[in-house]
Amino acid sequence: TEAGHDLLPEAKAVLRQSYRFESRALAQFNGEAMRLNISICHGISFEGISETVAALMQRYPYITGALQMESEEKVWNDVRERRSHMGLVLGDTPPNRDIYGCICLGHIQYCIVASKDFPLARLSRITEQDLSQHRQILSEDARRYLFSSQYWLVNSVSWALYLAALGVGWTVAPLELAHRAVSSKKNLVI
């Protein structure tokens, strides 16, 4: 039925979770070490994630695992190929999301960041046309925010913020990261 078809993705997710639970329970019963590999997209703050993982380590002292900072595409690939048990990404879910158990954990605001000396910093209101006239430093995870035909692609939001601080262009960054970058690199503005 149409109703059954609509519920199919959730049913598949419940089955996957059930299989994971069963295999972990069996591993614990057999005395095997528990492992949790997490792939995290560049641009996601270490704060919050690190504290959560630290609390997990305290609560489950015998669990081992790995934390990887990677591009969004690599995170999706690691989860799909089962190199990671969990992936945290910025942005939209993939078109074939039914093979992943996706949950939206929240929303992240993005902002424009440039050096205080950059021409955009002198404007009281910035338009898309203003952005298109200046070099953009584009992190892989912010590709959907491409406004300029003159850009440099980098694989890290931190790198994009650093280059913006040098005054070679402007960038789009998660607001939380931008605030931290502005406080540590005094010549940046949001």
Side-chain angles (χ1 to χ4, degrees), residues 12-176:
K12 286 180 180 179
V14 168
L15 283 174
R16 278 194 304 273
Q17 191 64 25
S18 173
Y19 295 144
R20 279 187 221 138
F21 177 81
E22 187 176 309
S23 66
R24 286 191 176 189
L26 187 58
Q28 278 186 326
F29 180 76
N30 292 332
E32 297 171 14
M34 296 290 295
R35 184 163 181 84
L36 178 62
N37 296 335
I38 305 171
S39 292
I40 303 168
C41 180
H42 293 293
I44 293 179
S45 172
F46 284 101
E47 282 123 9
I49 301 296
S50 297
E51 286 77 4
T52 302
V53 172
L56 181 76
M57 291 175 183
Q58 291 289 340
R59 186 164 181 185
Y60 302 100
Y62 299 108
I63 196 169
T64 62
L67 293 171
Q68 308 281 356
M69 290 298 287
E70 302 172 325
S71 70
E72 183 177 331
E73 182 180 341
K74 180 91 168 78
V75 171
W76 288 120
N77 287 338
D78 284 353
V79 173
R80 187 180 67 246
E81 302 295 327
R82 293 192 165 93
R83 288 185 296 269
S84 289
H85 302 99
M86 178 187 303
L88 300 173
V89 297
L90 298 170
D92 301 322
T93 56
N96 55 351
R97 78 172 272 194
D98 61 325
I99 66 169
Y100 305 98
C102 296
I103 299 171
C104 178
L105 298 175
H107 299 279
I108 296 177
Q109 289 182 305
Y110 282 77
C111 63
I112 297 166
V113 184
S115 165
K116 287 181 180 180
D117 301 323
F118 201 71
L120 291 174
R122 293 186 210 106
L123 301 176
S124 59
R125 186 173 175 276
I126 299 172
T127 67
E128 286 185 27
Q129 183 177 358
D130 296 325
L131 296 174
S132 70
Q133 294 174 12
H134 299 280
R135 179 185 298 120
Q136 182 175 358
I137 310 301
L138 186 66
S139 65
E140 284 183 355
D141 301 320
R143 284 184 186 208
R144 63 188 166 277
Y145 298 114
L146 177 61
F147 291 100
S148 178
S149 61
Q150 184 184 12
Y151 66 92
W152 276 82
L153 183 65
V154 296
N155 68 351
S156 161
V157 175
S158 298
W159 199 357
L161 288 166
Y162 188 79
L163 289 171
L166 292 176
V168 297
W170 62 274
T171 192
V172 174
L175 187 59
E176 182 182 328

